[in-house]
C-alpha cells in the first residue's frame, strides 16, 4: 500500500535524523574522530606493516659530525646494524618531533637486547641552527641513544637525493623564523645487506613502528 | 478543526511525521547539550556557535618551539579563525604541514555545523618565545580571534611529546 511505503520512508528519515544527531554528538568524544588515513600497505607475504620497498636504496655514503662533535661515517659506523634514517630539523614543531617521538616510544617497547641492535639516525637539514649540542638536547627527549648528525648541507642534500628525498635550503621568513625541509619518510635499512627495505611515511602510527621494530632488530627479511 | 480532520484521514501518516519531527528536535537538543557553547539560537546560516575541544601542546623536545593542536567545533553558521595569541608566549602562528615542509596560513575557515581541526602532520599552531619553559601539566592560555565570534580564550594543557587525544 502506498501509505505503508510512505510511512516506512518517513521512519527511515527519522532514523537518518537520529544518526545525524549521533554523529554530531560524537564530536564530543575525540578530535573529529576521523582517524588518519592508513598510509602503510601490507605486502601479502611480508611480516612488516610498513611499506615494503621494491627498490632497495644503498645506505648513503655520508660523513658528518655527531652530537659529541666527533666525525661520523654513516656507512662505516652503522655497518651490519639495523638503521632507521630520518632527515629533519629541530625547529620543526609538528612532523619532526612527532615522527621521532613515536619512534622513541616504539624503541622503548623493545627488549634491551633488541634495542641495542637498532640505530636511529636523525640527519639535520638545518645544520646552521642544529649544532651538535642543540641536536643532542632535542634528541634526548625521544631517545638518549639516538644518533644525531649535522654538518655540510650540500652533503646532506646529496645523500637525501640518493634516497629519493628532496631537501631544500632553509628559508628565513619575514619574522626571522626559519623553515627548512624534512623527509616525508623514515627509511629502515636491514643488517643483512645494509640496504633500505621498509619505508614509513610521516603520519605512520606509533603502533606500526612498535609492530615492526622487533622484526627490524632481528633482521627479518621484508 | 484542522487537526481533528487530519487525524481521521491521515492518522498513521501523521504519527510517523510527528516521530520524524520529534527525533530531529531531540537530536538537535542532544547536540546543543553536548557541544553548545552558548550564543544565540540561529537556524540555518545564523551566527557561529563555537567551542574548543581536545586542545593540547606536546611538551617541546628542547623546551623551545612547540606545536599546539585543538578542535574548534561549530554548531552554528560559518566563521573564520584570524589570529591566535597567548599572554605566555611571544608568538603563535598557524601553519599547515606539507609532505616535506610547512607553510604559514593567514586564516582558517570554521565551517558551519562542522569543525576546524588541528592535528599532527596537518594544520598546527607554532608557539615560540615562552615566558616560562613549558612543563608537563602546565596550562597555556591561547586567545583565538574569529572574524564573527570575537575572541575565545582557552587553557591548553602541556602533554607528553607523543600524546594524542584519540588515544586513551
Amino acid at each position: 500500500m502506498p501509505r505503508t511505503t510512505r510511512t516506512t520512508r518517513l521512519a527511515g528519515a527519522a532514523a537518518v535524523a537520529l544518526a545525524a544527531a549521533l554523529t554530531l554528538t560524537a564530536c564530543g568524544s575525540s578530535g573529529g574522530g576521523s582517524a588518519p588515513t592508513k598510509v602503510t600497505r601490507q605486502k601479502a607475504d611480508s611480516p612488516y606493516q610498513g611499506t615494503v620497498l621494491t627498490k632497495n636504496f644503498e645506505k648513503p655514503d655520508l660523513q658528518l659530525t655527531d652530537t659529541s662533535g666527533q666525525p661520523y661515517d654513516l656507512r662505516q659506523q652503522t655497518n651490519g646494524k639495523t638503521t632507521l634514517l630520518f632527515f629533519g630539523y629541530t625547529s620543526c614543531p609538528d612532523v619532526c618531533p612527532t615522527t621521532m617521538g613515536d619512534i622513541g616510544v616504539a624503541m622503548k617497547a623493545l627488549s634491551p637486547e633488541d634495542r641495542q641492535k637498532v640505530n636511529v639516525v636523525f640527519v639535520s637539514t638545518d645544520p646552521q641552527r642544529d649544532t651538535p649540542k642543540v641536536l643532542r638536547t632535542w634528541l634526548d627527549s625521544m631517545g638518549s641513544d639516538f644518533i644525531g648528525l649535522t654538518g655540510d648541507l650540500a652533503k646532506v642534500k646529496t645523500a637525501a637525493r640518493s634516497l629519493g628525498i628532496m631537501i631544500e635550503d632553509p628559508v628565513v621568513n619575514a619574522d626571522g623564523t626559519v623553515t627548512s625541509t624534512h623527509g616525508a619518510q623514515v627509511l629502515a635499512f636491514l643488517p643483512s645487506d645494509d640496504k633500505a627495505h621498509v619505508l614509513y611515511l610521516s603520519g605512520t602510527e606509533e603502533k606500526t613502528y612498535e609492530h615492526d621494530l622487533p622484526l627490524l632488530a632481528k633482521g627479518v627479511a621484508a | 478543526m484542522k487537526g481533528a480532520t487530519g487525524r481521521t484521514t491521515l492518522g498513521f501518516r501523521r504519527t510517523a511525521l510527528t516521530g520524524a519531527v520529534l527525533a530531529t528536535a531531540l537530536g538537535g537538543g542532544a547536540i546543543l547539550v553536548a557541544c553548545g557553547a552558548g550564543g544565540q539560537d540561529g537556524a540555518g546560516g545564523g551566527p557561529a556557535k563555537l567551542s574548543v575541544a581536545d586542545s593540547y601542546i606536546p611538551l617541546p623536545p628542547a623546551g623551545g618551539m612547540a606545536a599546539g593542536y585543538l578542535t574548534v567545533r561549530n554548531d552554528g553558521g560559518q566563521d573564520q579563525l584570524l589570529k591566535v595569541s597567548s599572554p605566555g608566549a611571544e608568538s603563535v602562528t598557524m601553519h599547515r604541514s606539507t609532505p616535506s615542509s610547512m607553510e604559514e596560513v593567514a586564516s582558517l575557515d570554521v565551517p558551519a555545523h562542522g569543525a576546524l581541526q588541528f592535528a599532527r602532520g596537518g594544520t598546527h599552531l607554532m608557539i615560540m618565545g615562552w615566558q616560562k619553559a613549558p612543563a608537563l601539566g602546565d596550562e597555556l592560555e591561547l586567545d583565538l580571534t574569529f572574524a564573527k565570534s570575537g575572541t575565545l580564550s582557552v587553557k591548553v594543557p602541556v602533554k607528553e611529546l607523543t600524546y594524542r587525544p584519540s588515544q586513551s
Side-chain angles (χ1 to χ4, degrees):
Chain A
M1 288 189 298
R3 189 159 294 168
T4 317
T5 328
R6 174 125 193 199
T7 310
T8 316
R9 210 189 307 140
L10 277 167
V16 170
L18 269 173
L22 283 172
T23 313
L24 285 170
T25 311
C27 68
S29 62
S30 76
S34 58
T37 337
K38 259 229 175 304
V39 287
T40 55
R41 261 167 286 131
Q42 202 167 358
K43 217 173 84 179
D45 57 347
S46 171
Y48 288 95
Q49 288 185 356
T51 306
V52 174
L53 290 167
T54 43
K55 178 175 164 54
N56 301 122
F57 301 101
E58 295 267 354
K59 207 179 274 173
D61 184 12
L62 182 61
Q63 290 94 31
L64 292 169
T65 305
D66 70 13
T67 55
S68 60
Q70 296 301 306
Y72 192 96
D73 185 313
L74 182 68
R75 270 190 189 167
Q76 242 175 49
Q77 291 178 254
T78 63
N79 183 38
K81 243 184 132 178
T82 298
T83 303
L84 294 188
L85 184 62
F86 183 67
F87 292 80
Y89 60 107
T90 69
S91 51
C92 156
D94 181 38
V95 171
C96 309
T98 298
T99 303
M100 295 304 286
D102 285 343
I103 293 174
V105 170
M107 283 289 281
K108 286 184 183 84
L110 280 179
S111 68
E113 195 195 331
D114 277 351
R115 191 184 159 96
Q116 281 207 330
K117 293 180 184 159
V118 183
N119 280 323
V120 178
V121 181
F122 179 86
V123 178
S124 172
T125 57
D126 183 16
Q128 218 181 326
R129 272 149 290 268
D130 291 344
T131 61
K133 193 165 168 265
V134 167
L135 265 185
R136 189 69 268 150
T137 310
W138 193 80
L139 286 172
D140 275 349
S141 307
M142 297 92 159
S144 51
D145 52 358
F146 284 8
I147 297 159
L149 302 180
T150 184
D152 185 357
L153 184 61
K155 283 195 204 170
V156 172
K157 285 160 86 171
T158 306
R161 202 177 307 120
S162 77
L163 301 167
I165 300 167
M166 295 305 145
I167 299 300
E168 310 283 343
D169 289 331
V171 174
V172 182
N173 306 305
D175 61 359
T177 57
V178 178
T179 305
S180 301
T181 35
H182 51 73
Q185 65 273 66
V186 173
L187 286 172
F189 297 82
L190 284 178
S192 47
D193 58 1
D194 285 314
K195 287 183 179 175
H197 287 266
V198 193
L199 174 149
Y200 304 91
L201 284 174
S202 54
T204 294
E205 288 179 46
E206 186 274 321
K207 281 189 166 42
T208 305
Y209 289 113
E210 212 166 297
H211 175 274
D212 281 7
L213 271 175
L215 302 170
L216 290 167
K218 292 175 179 71
V220 173
Chain B
M1 282 194 249
K2 226 160 80 185
T5 346
R7 200 169 293 156
T8 38
T9 48
L10 294 165
F12 198 46
R13 178 172 165 193
R14 193 181 177 85
T15 314
L17 267 170
T18 315
V21 170
L22 254 179
T24 312
L26 276 171
I31 297 169
L32 286 176
V33 170
C35 311
Q40 301 90 35
D41 280 316
K49 285 187 206 169
L50 308 179
S51 60
V52 174
D54 293 336
S55 66
Y56 67 104
I57 293 166
L59 186 68
M65 180 169 310
Y69 305 97
L70 49 86
T71 300
V72 180
R73 288 192 209 130
N74 187 1
D75 295 311
Q78 184 271 341
D79 205 341
Q80 209 177 20
L81 176 60
L82 301 177
K83 190 179 85 145
V84 182
S85 63
S86 171
E90 229 165 71
S91 110
V92 183
T93 46
M94 304 185 282
H95 287 262
R96 188 179 292 127
S97 284
T98 63
S100 63
S101 191
M102 62 179 194
E103 57 197 17
E104 189 167 352
V105 287
S107 67
L108 292 161
D109 281 341
V110 187
H113 298 280
L116 161 64
Q117 202 178 346
F118 289 74
R120 292 188 185 254
T123 306
H124 58 274
L125 297 171
M126 185 167 101
I127 307 165
M128 290 187 303
W130 298 82
Q131 288 187 352
K132 169 189 163 296
L136 279 181
D138 282 359
E139 287 194 329
L140 181 75
E141 180 186 324
L142 289 183
D143 302 321
L144 288 71
T145 304
F146 297 90
K148 295 176 186 165
S149 307
T151 301
L152 245 173
S153 282
V154 285
K155 293 271 190 196
V156 182
V158 176
K159 301 280 196 178
E160 315 85 81
L161 172 68
T162 53
Y163 171 85
R164 281 168 176 78
S166 47
Q167 291 172 352
S168 50

